[in-house]
Amino acid sequence: MINADLIKLLLPVVLLEIILMVLALRDLVRRECVTGGNKVLWGIIIVIFQVIGPIIYFVFGRKDTCTQ
Amino acid sequence: MKIKALLKKELLEILRTYKIYVIPVIFLFFGLLSPITAKIMPDLLKSMAGEFKIELPPSTWHDSYGQFFKNLNQIGLLAVILTTMGTVADEKARGTALLVLARPISRHAFILSKWMGNITLLIFSIASSYVACTYYTYVLFPQTNVGASLEATLLFLIYAVFISSLTIFASSITASNIGAGGIAIAGFFVTSILPSLHKSFAKYSPGALTALEMKIINGSATIGSASWAIIITTILSVALVTLGSYIFSKQEL
């Protein structure tokens, strides 16, 4: 049953993953400070963990102000 | 500024922040993925069994919605808690709540507008994921029962509104979003295990709705048998938000 039709149906799912990833990465690039201070680490988390990674970033990674 | 203006501000805020992406995208994601997972599950299990020959019946539309509700009830609701926990607590921490409330606005209206804004987003997300799941189920499986799946989705919506209300309650009474998240997740955990503790909880508590969703899909229960759980869950949701706004109105900002 794992055939071409099923892969076609998976396309929108992959598209959603990519949209979420791009939105998270765009936010990451524009942001000055993130939780923990390591933007590269957040980038890796967003890319590696599909769907979950961007959400974790949106909820925990974003910081409005830089406090040292 | 009346409640309508406040609600508008709240909806605008949802549009401007990440919330507009996260909840609808997650729900839509599971709406699309669940029917596909259900379809390939027998083949997947067979290939994992390897040498052992196992016979599995091909999956049906019941499995498709089974996956759908399982995913939404776990990861979906967890995402709702994570994105809602800061609703009031963040505004308190940043001091923006003070700015809004400096105008002649009651604190009850403030909480109420947040609640309504979040529920609007939730209804939109659940509706779109239901449409996606139903379409994929229709494409992948020979049979579907739109009536039953719609009823089950309604039960899920009522449960999701309850979890959202619980989170807004937690956000109103605490000073940090992490604290609010902790309370909400603890509450979520308790509501999900209550039905297994006593028969009356299994029938009347909010957690009963989760089991009833699947029973309605399988045809072993009707929406009528869920009426008490629906009424009690709705009352609890309203009570939580009312209590939350009452405690919030007594707080020093």
Side-chain angles (χ1 to χ4, degrees), chain A residues 1 6 9 12-13 55 58 64, chain B residues 18 26 29 40 43 94 136:
Chain A
M1 254 311 174
L6 223 48
L9 286 175
V13 180
I55 291 161
F58 277 129
D64 292 328
Chain B
Y18 63 92
I26 295 219
F29 178 75
I40 61 172
D43 291 308
R94 265 190 269 131
Y136 267 37

Side-chain angles (χ1 to χ4, degrees), chain B residues 13-200:
Chain B
E13 207 165 281
I14 289 175
L15 277 179
R16 250 186 259 123
T17 51
Y18 63 92
K19 257 187 173 176
I20 188 68
Y21 319 126
V22 173
I23 294 297
V25 168
I26 295 219
F27 275 56
L28 205 54
F29 178 75
F30 286 123
L32 297 172
L33 197 64
S34 304
I36 300 176
T37 321
K39 187 81 186 172
I40 61 172
M41 195 53 95
D43 291 308
L44 215 61
L45 289 176
K46 249 180 240 166
S47 65
M48 280 199 304
E51 304 246 314
F52 303 98
K53 286 275 177 283
I54 44 168
E55 275 308 309
L56 287 163
S59 43
T60 61
W61 65 275
H62 302 98
D63 302 307
S64 170
Y65 284 105
Q67 285 285 338
F68 180 58
F69 288 118
K70 198 191 85 195
N71 287 330
L72 289 195
N73 274 311
Q74 292 169 357
I75 307 173
L77 290 181
L78 206 59
V80 168
I81 291 177
L82 288 178
T83 52
T84 317
M85 66 189 192
T87 321
V88 187
D90 278 349
E91 293 226 19
K92 277 190 274 189
R94 265 190 269 131
T96 43
L98 210 57
L99 286 178
V100 177
L101 291 167
R103 290 181 229 176
I105 293 166
S106 81
R107 297 208 186 174
H108 298 294
F110 182 75
I111 300 288
L112 191 64
S113 72
K114 299 227 165 267
W115 187 56
M116 284 160 71
N118 275 295
I119 286 175
T120 310
L121 182 71
L122 211 51
I123 292 173
F124 167 74
S125 312
I126 293 175
S128 50
S129 76
Y130 170 72
V131 170
C133 179
T134 301
Y135 178 68
Y136 267 37
T137 308
Y138 168 77
V139 171
L140 287 170
F141 299 96
Q143 261 186 330
T144 15
N145 185 337
V146 175
S149 62
L150 204 57
E151 284 172 2
T153 308
L154 185 72
L155 292 194
F156 174 70
L157 174 67
I158 293 163
Y159 188 55
V161 166
F162 169 74
I163 294 298
S164 183
S165 310
L166 173 75
T167 316
I168 288 182
F169 163 76
S171 193
S172 315
I173 64 169
T174 50
S176 76
N177 58 6
I178 301 294
I183 293 174
I185 288 174
F188 179 42
F189 182 67
V190 170
T191 29
S192 9
I193 58 164
L194 271 185
S196 57
L197 295 183
H198 194 271
K199 254 197 298 191
S200 59

Side-chain angles (χ1 to χ4, degrees), chain A residues 13 20 30 33 41 45 47 65:
Chain A
V13 180
L20 205 58
R30 291 182 181 174
C33 296
L41 189 65
I45 290 173
V47 175
T65 46

